[in-house]
Amino acid sequence: MANNQLWEVNVQEDNRTQTDIRRMRKSGLRALFLSVSVDCRSQYRDAVRACLGQVDLVKRIVKKHGDQLLLVDSAAGLRDAVKGGKIAVALALEAGHCIDSSLAVLRIFYDLGVRYMTLTQNCNTPWAESWISQSNRSAGNLTRNSVLENKGLSIFGEAVIAEMNRLGMIVDLSHASIEAVRRTLSVSIAPVIFSHSGVYSICRHPRNIPDDILIQLKRHGSLLLITFFNDLISCSAEANVTDVADHFDYVRNLIGADYVGIGSDFDGVPRTPEGLSDVSEYGTLFQLLRDRGWKDDELEKVAGKNILRVLHDVEQVRVNYPAKFSHPDESLIPESDLLDTSCRVTSL
């Protein structure tokens, strides 16, 4: 994000990006998650500092444009922002390595307003397996470690999920391996999301979600947010809005409209479908879905009611968390799970 330099970011109108206030207003977009994401090369090094820098930038952007944007950290806050005519901005971490395998750092990010975290990016964390690792393992190119031996999540990874449940932070499984997904669904007592993925039966990319997991999402009250990344929509460099609509139709037909939403990944991917080039074109997708027989109440769920429901349900898990487990978890990751300790001077 422009090296975290606020004067380099024209949030009001910037045609170099796919998202700005002018185009959000044009499309009627009323709320969004802004994802903090840093390169996998920062893991074991300066990931925490880099992620904090991006959180700081988002907060400063919202403050600078406070007449139009409002930072929110709850379902109620999001609704209030929309009612007040502002665009609600919520924070997310799209990289589990942002917390440097520390539950204390996870709690700090929650206190700063982060409301979902993607467990992995395009690399393993020491406690969760990514889709990249899954692909390598399928090809026989990966040495097993404690994460893989525990089916996608280490024991510490399970502690991360439990602490996110306790805090009221949504677990995001986009980028996670299927083994990590299955294990998380068996461990988490709160709904989860896939923040930007597609349907595997349409595009057989390892980032996409197979039918058996979609069926589990329904049982779990969870949510698939459909990405607009061509590679995950059509399994090629080219795609169009009808290809995206096919993913929505598939989920609706398999498990219902209550479990699907929009996870565009604008400004996070190199190519998007024809007809969905930026946030101003959301209406094209909604009109196409309406033409395909989607009812207004279903479209309202896709547009935001579903993710609001998940956010509310995760908050309720926090409120109702068993008293004997309600204190912060002080567990530390075993040093043997860390593949690189050269930059560490303490195990805390």
Side-chain angles (χ1 to χ4, degrees), residues 226-334:
I226 303 294
T227 181
F228 296 170
F229 183 27
N230 291 357
D231 299 45
L232 304 187
I233 291 298
S234 64
C235 281
S236 72
E238 304 295 328
N240 58 55
V241 64
T242 61
D243 297 318
V244 177
D246 290 344
H247 285 252
F248 281 89
D249 281 344
Y250 191 94
V251 177
R252 179 195 185 216
N253 292 336
L254 182 66
I255 60 174
D258 291 332
Y259 309 100
V260 65
I262 293 176
S264 64
D265 209 8
F266 281 137
D267 292 305
V269 292
R271 47 192 168 269
T272 58
E274 182 180 351
L276 288 171
S277 62
D278 60 47
V279 296
S280 70
E281 296 190 317
Y282 280 125
T284 305
L285 173 62
F286 281 100
Q287 185 58 55
L288 179 55
L289 294 177
R290 183 175 284 108
D291 293 343
R292 291 185 175 196
W294 287 62
K295 298 179 175 61
D296 286 346
D297 66 317
E298 293 177 315
L299 295 175
E300 289 174 359
K301 292 174 181 179
V302 168
K305 285 188 174 180
N306 284 343
I307 186 63
L308 270 172
R309 186 258 304 165
V310 169
L311 181 56
H312 173 268
D313 289 352
V314 171
E315 292 169 353
Q316 289 304 115
V317 169
R318 180 193 67 218
V319 171
N320 298 317
Y321 211 73
K324 65 179 180 178
F325 301 119
S326 63
H327 58 279
D329 188 344
E330 296 181 338
S331 300
L332 301 177
I333 189 169

Side-chain angles (χ1 to χ4, degrees), residues 66-82:
D67 59 326
Q68 299 190 72
L69 306 178
L70 184 66
L71 194 66
V72 301
D73 59 10
S74 66
L78 193 154
R79 291 190 183 94
D80 289 345
V82 171

Side-chain angles (χ1 to χ4, degrees), residues 134 177-179 181-183 185 194 198-201 204 208-220 222 224 250 254-255:
Q134 170 188 311
S177 72
I178 289 298
E179 288 80 2
V181 168
R182 296 187 199 283
R183 188 61 185 155
L185 288 171
F194 290 87
V199 173
Y200 186 79
S201 290
R204 293 179 177 271
N208 284 342
I209 315 307
D211 287 4
D212 67 302
I213 297 297
L214 290 175
I215 292 169
Q216 285 191 59
L217 289 190
K218 180 176 182 177
R219 295 171 182 161
H220 208 259
S222 297
L224 169 59
Y250 191 94
L254 182 66
I255 60 174

Side-chain angles (χ1 to χ4, degrees), residues 28-70:
L29 181 62
R30 311 288 291 277
L32 74 163
F33 277 98
L34 286 182
S35 295
V36 169
S37 182
V38 295
D39 194 284
C40 285
R41 291 173 296 179
S42 67
Q43 185 162 215
Y44 298 112
R45 292 172 173 79
D46 57 352
V48 176
R49 180 196 59 78
C51 291
L52 285 170
Q54 288 191 30
V55 169
D56 169 70
L57 178 62
V58 171
K59 286 176 173 284
R60 288 187 290 128
I61 288 172
V62 171
K63 184 176 181 180
K64 179 179 179 181
H65 298 276
D67 59 326
Q68 299 190 72
L69 306 178
L70 184 66

Side-chain angles (χ1 to χ4, degrees), residues 99-105 156 330-336 338 341 343-348:
I99 68 169
D100 194 26
S101 301
S102 168
L103 299 179
V105 175
F156 185 79
E330 296 181 338
S331 300
L332 301 177
I333 189 169
E335 191 166 318
S336 59
L338 302 173
T341 58
C343 293
R344 289 175 178 262
V345 295
T346 176
S347 61
L348 299 180

